[in-house]
Amino acid sequence: MRFADKLFLATTALLTVMFALFGTWMLSSDFSQLLNKEIEQGNNDSRTFHFLFEMGYQSTEEYGEDYAISKTLNSIADSVERDERHMFAIRDDGTYFYGGDYLENMGFAEEVDGLIRDLNTSDTTEDSIRNIGIRKIDGSYYMFAIAKSGVSQSKVYLGICRELTDTYDSRGNLLSRYRIALLCLLSAGGVCIYFLSRYITRPIRSLGRLASRIADGDYTLRSQNKSSDEIGALARDFNRMADRLVEEMQIKIREAKQKEDFTAAFAHELKTPLTSIIGYADMLNSLKLTEEECHDAYFYIYNQGKRLENLSHKLLDLVSMDKNPLTFRTVSTKDLEQNLRITMRPIWKQRGVRGKVDMEKAFIQGDAELLLSLLYNLLDNAVKALDKGEESFMLMKGSCLKGFYEIKVVDNGRGIPAEEISRITEAFYMVDKSRSRKEGGAGIGMALCQKIIQLHSGTLVVDSRLGEGTVIKVTFPREENHVKGEKAGHGR
């Protein structure tokens, strides 16, 4: 069952129960008040009848008991028997002084006898007691008010009967009209509730259809619900969830593509040197070569073997770098500068390019060997991007920032296409594959750099323009206390 139908049925059922209970209580309360008034009126009529009887009996008592009772009842009949009231008087032995024919004809004799028995079994000690009862006889309702008089020597039961059928019929009519009104109210209210439930749940149905279409592959759809209620908040959370799922899916697709590219590149990188090694080894084994040809074959086998060795070392470094615990120590940037100058100077000379390393003095927490490997790889990549000539230059500049240390590597080489900058840190990814292999590159250097930067809580930013050059910025947290202490030492 749909939520809108559940909401409709639950609301309709709740309203039905509430209106039924309220209407029943209201009608019952009104009828009880009306019935209490009738009973009170019956009491008053019985008291009046009893009073008139006693007053009339005392005035005629001298003529004898039976005569006085009959004379009194006949004299007060017109005063008591009005508004469809009927009086009756019964002796203690059950014979009638007055109204016997009416009781017999109406079939009330048995009911009256029962009320008299109830009256006699009462615990009251008063001279006269009263009993009022309402009986349903042949589909009609009657109220009997009976009092016991003690003015005569024999007991006389004085009673008044009045029909209450109209009162009960009025209650029945009110109940019938209320049921009709309740039915009409619930019918009209049910229609309103039905459409209201559809209106309230419309955003939920829309969100459900949206989720179904996204599940079918339309990942660009989003909810347009801008309301500030709970459903609007649900729609916004749904949109964020969809954005996150799409982002995670794209990441997984990209990772799968990277793994596929990694496997293909790794197989290719192994194939080239192995082909050379196997080919030259086969030549040495199957052909008779001159000493110079043998020397060339040995050189190629050695050279390609070293290339495989270097590739395996870099792969091991890439895989195991973040698994081995690192011990960070305070590293001076000036020590890094001196080491890099010594390493790079012959390379610059051999390539015929101008290069410079200028590191402002500071202290970085890290692993000195990894930091040297990082900076050397950045410089080596910059050298490979340059063409020979005096116009080619590269610069590594270290600067102190507030709480950070920035290392900037600048060159005016070939540059990197904008669409490939985001992929240069992928393993085995090379912008110019033929040139990189020619210069001994395997496409792992920048992946190692990225891993080292992450281990040192640093950041990497690459800005490059094709044909103009590249700027690489690496930022590390630095210790300012060391710098302040150093300056204070010089001051003394």
Side-chain angles (χ1 to χ4, degrees), residues 407-425:
I407 300 174
K408 187 184 299 184
V409 180
V410 183
D411 68 71
N412 64 343
R414 292 178 294 277
I416 306 171
E419 65 275 8
E420 299 193 35
I421 291 178
S422 61
R423 301 193 61 188
I424 62 174
T425 57

Side-chain angles (χ1 to χ4, degrees), residues 8-148:
F8 164 71
L9 292 176
T11 307
T12 305
L14 180 62
L15 288 177
T16 302
V17 172
M18 289 177 61
F19 279 113
L21 292 177
F22 174 76
T24 302
W25 170 82
M26 182 180 66
L27 293 176
S28 297
S29 178
D30 290 344
F31 179 74
S32 296
Q33 292 179 3
L34 182 61
L35 193 60
N36 288 333
K37 289 181 180 180
E38 293 291 343
I39 293 173
E40 183 64 26
Q41 183 63 42
N43 267 318
N44 292 334
D45 291 341
S46 180
R47 290 190 187 97
T48 301
F49 180 25
H50 190 266
F51 174 76
L52 292 175
F53 175 78
E54 288 185 343
M55 292 295 293
Y57 179 83
Q58 290 176 0
S59 64
T60 58
E61 185 178 5
E62 58 184 300
Y63 298 108
E65 182 178 293
D66 289 345
Y67 177 81
I69 293 175
S70 297
K71 181 67 175 178
T72 302
L73 290 174
N74 289 326
S75 64
I76 65 174
D78 292 338
S79 299
V80 176
E81 290 188 322
R82 56 187 175 82
D83 298 331
E84 297 187 4
R85 293 178 178 85
H86 301 274
M87 71 177 191
F88 55 88
I90 304 175
R91 293 186 182 90
D92 192 32
D93 59 3
T95 59
Y96 296 101
F97 275 115
Y98 187 92
D101 293 339
Y102 172 75
L103 294 180
E104 293 290 343
N105 292 333
M106 296 298 292
F108 296 161
E110 189 175 341
E111 296 293 337
V112 170
D113 290 342
L115 289 171
I116 292 175
R117 285 194 298 272
D118 293 340
L119 185 65
N120 289 326
T121 57
S122 175
D123 294 334
T124 184
T125 58
E126 297 180 2
D127 291 339
S128 62
I129 58 176
R130 188 171 290 103
N131 188 16
I132 292 181
I134 298 174
R135 299 291 185 269
K136 182 179 181 181
I137 302 173
D138 295 333
S140 300
Y141 292 87
Y142 299 89
M143 182 174 65
F144 299 91
I146 299 177
K148 183 169 61 174

Side-chain angles (χ1 to χ4, degrees), residues 316-329 364-371 373-374 446-460 474-477:
L316 286 173
D317 289 341
L318 187 63
V319 172
S320 62
M321 188 177 295
D322 54 357
K323 295 181 181 179
N324 297 325
L326 298 177
T327 302
F328 282 10
R329 294 183 176 85
I364 303 173
Q365 283 294 318
D367 185 292
E369 293 299 325
L370 291 180
L371 290 173
S373 177
L374 163 67
M446 285 304 295
L448 287 172
C449 290
Q450 176 74 356
K451 184 71 72 174
I452 294 171
I453 292 170
Q454 290 175 352
L455 291 174
H456 287 78
S457 303
T459 59
L460 172 67
V474 181
T475 307
F476 296 110

